[in-house]
Amino acid sequence: MMSLPEGPNESKLQQISRIRIDDSSRVPVSLWFASSVFWLLMGSVAALISSVKMHNPDFLGNIEWLTFGRIRPVHLDIVFFGWSSMAAVGCLLWLQARLCHVRLPWPLLLSGLAMVWNVGVCVGVMAVLAGHGSSIEYLEFPAYCAPFFAIPALGVLAANVKMYVTKESQHTYVSQWYLLAATVWLPILYVTAMGCTYFGLVQGVSQAITNWWFGHNALGLWVTPIAVATAYYLIPKVTGKPVHSYHLSLLGFWSLAIFYNWAGTHHLTGGPLPAWTITVGVVGSMMMFIPVITVAINHHMTMRGVFHMLKTSPTLRFTVFGSVMYTVASFQGSLEALRSHQEITHFTQYTIGHAHLGLYGFFSMIMFGAMYYIFPRITNNEWSSARLIKVHFWGSSIGVLAYGIGLCWAGWWQGVMMNDPAIPFLDTVAYIRPYLIMRSVSGTGMTIAHIAFAISVWRILSRHHFVMSGPTLFTTTRPAWREFVNEQEKREQAELEAQS
Amino acid sequence: MNRTPFVIFGVFLTIAFSLSGLVLIPNWQFQEHQPVVTAPDGSQYPVPYFGMALQGRDVYVDQGCLYCHTQQVRAKGYGGDIRRNWGNRRTVARDYMYEYPILLGTMRTGPDLANIGARQPSRDWHYLHLYNPQITSAGSVMPRFQYLFRTIKAGELAPSGAIALPPAFLAEGTHIVPTARGEQLVEYLRAQNRTFPLPEAKQ
Amino acid sequence: MFLISMLIWATALLGAVMTVWALAWAVQRGEFRNLRQGAASIFDAGEPIGQQTDFFPGAKR
């Protein structure tokens, strides 16, 4: 038997139990994650095609299924359903199992649900490319795609609740609230929005409100809580410092739950709706300052004194970047909801810049960080190359900053020009064109980063570069612990047999 | 101590609350909407799309026009919509009571289309614009929708329905005719007219 | 219109009352006790407070 690190017996047992919990999520979580990385690449391709088409409309010009009005929603849907949601589910299953101190239930079922979800994205993408999209933002996939997402969402909810009610941990950690809430919200949101939209339950402008009630909440109540939960776990866990204020984190959770719901109608400011619906949206958006500030304070104070770890931990780098961008993008979003601000930026590229600072700068970066932490632990393998990770980090972070800041700047002035009737409309188009080209360049940087990431993921899954004796904390301890885990499992098996 | 029911009930409550507030109440509020009847001939506004315009809406949806064009006019004094002559009044909920799906849009890479039928009533303009936006709007980044047209090899005489392309855009000895979908889309665009005076939209 | 605004206010009031009630109920049940321990609950003797748990591959500790 290999020699084990010295330590009290209790700590050995805790390590063993942690490894066994991580092991239990190996197949399903790897599957959800690997699928999400595949969709990340597909989403990047769709993004680049639509981005280039915006400044060079003749690029792939006369191909109907690749026309801008189809490839652009395909980009959004792949990124939302394929990349973001699948990454979020992987993260949530692993994290909830760990926090509940129970093994992941129903691994086969959860793996099957990942495949169902993948089929849904495939079918939906092909439908939109073939011209069967609905032109309802975030809900472009036709109604027959709904079961492919609704059923897995319910399955994930069931697994999540099962873990929570059978939990062996004594305390509820703040992340668990977010995770549980997100899985309750997603099926309600999706089923209600699809039902209202496709079965004519709402008429006229109420359709638009339903659309943005879903579109905004899908980001705010589904992917955001999961990313916040992940950051709440990973930042303390990687740095070894408990969360600064646990009270604040609870306040943050419930204020998010109450206020984010109402913010969606700011997407319709100035539209043909009763003024009170917009006012509600603006108030909801303003109140979002509360949860955002609590998270910002908490994460910053937790990081205080350990910023040097950003140099040595890839997970921390991505997660802290994402966490900072959460504050930035949320502040921007709250201000953006104000009528005076919307008068200028609504209908411009500013919104697109903001969306990417949020969904990419915040959410995706935290998911990248989480995958850098989780993959080695569920595959018992080490990342093959620090250089690839650095290419990924710098490509993504510089890319999204250039993208977001550039488009917000351009969008602001685009809006100012658009509100001045003395300026011909085509001048606004000519003005933003250089920024649209810059967007394609920064998008290329992000795509290169994604390719580097995909290579890393491919290698860790296919067990290339299996580093047994590296000097990192992970590689020195894990393989040694394996023997111990196997022994413990054998012992339990024997006990079971003896009983029966 | 088990918090599960507490958490689940709480999060369920938050979303049920916003659903009823944002979706169900406005929907109920609009159900009392009726078309405005103009005496004495009894013509009504709004009227549902019918015929080719109705079919054209599907073309508008499947081509994803919404991703660059809005169909809403903001009130006078809020943005430049009315001063840009995109409408003579703001659009209101009643304008959309028959819209299914509603295509308000959120992006103005191109101009607003709520009243494009009133601004550009001519079919010819729409055909030229869709065939190659550079003909009518030089510098536009709108894609060409040439797959909504057929090329016909013909003699001297143009077939009926051929669009009046400037010679520079037309290959020798050919004529360009819109397909059925092209015609439907243009009828839909020409039906975009929300200039009817409504009592609740004074400006 | 009057009916509608009354309905909106009534739902808002109902929501507010329910929120306060839920909060009071949660406090009474002791949901907000022992919060400090919650923050430390993700650490144990195997991965104790003060120990960094993630590094670049190949990096010297």
Side-chain angles (χ1 to χ4, degrees), chain A residues 58 64 69-70 131 135 137 140 164 185 197 203 206-207 213 271 339 343 347 417-420 423, chain B residues 4 11 18 22 27 30 61-63 67 72 78-80 83-84 90 96 99-100 106 108 144 181:
Chain A
D58 286 344
E64 180 167 9
R70 291 188 187 171
S135 274
E137 287 180 73
E140 280 94 353
Y164 195 76
W185 282 323
T197 305
Q203 283 86 38
S206 300
Q207 295 170 75
W213 176 77
R339 277 171 215 265
E343 181 176 4
F347 308 132
M417 288 169 80
M418 226 189 285
N419 284 351
D420 179 358
I423 298 172
Chain B
T4 319
V11 299
S18 78
L22 291 181
N27 189 50
F30 299 135
V61 166
D62 94 50
Q63 296 299 318
Y67 296 98
Q72 51 180 316
Y78 190 73
R83 285 178 295 156
R84 273 196 186 276
R90 66 169 300 180
Y96 304 91
E99 303 269 337
Y100 184 81
T106 51
R108 283 178 178 166
R144 292 186 269 169
R181 289 163 73 220

Side-chain angles (χ1 to χ4, degrees), chain B residues 9 12 30 45 65 97 143 159 172:
Chain B
F9 180 67
F12 177 77
F30 299 135
Y45 178 86
C65 305
M97 55 184 284
E172 196 71 33

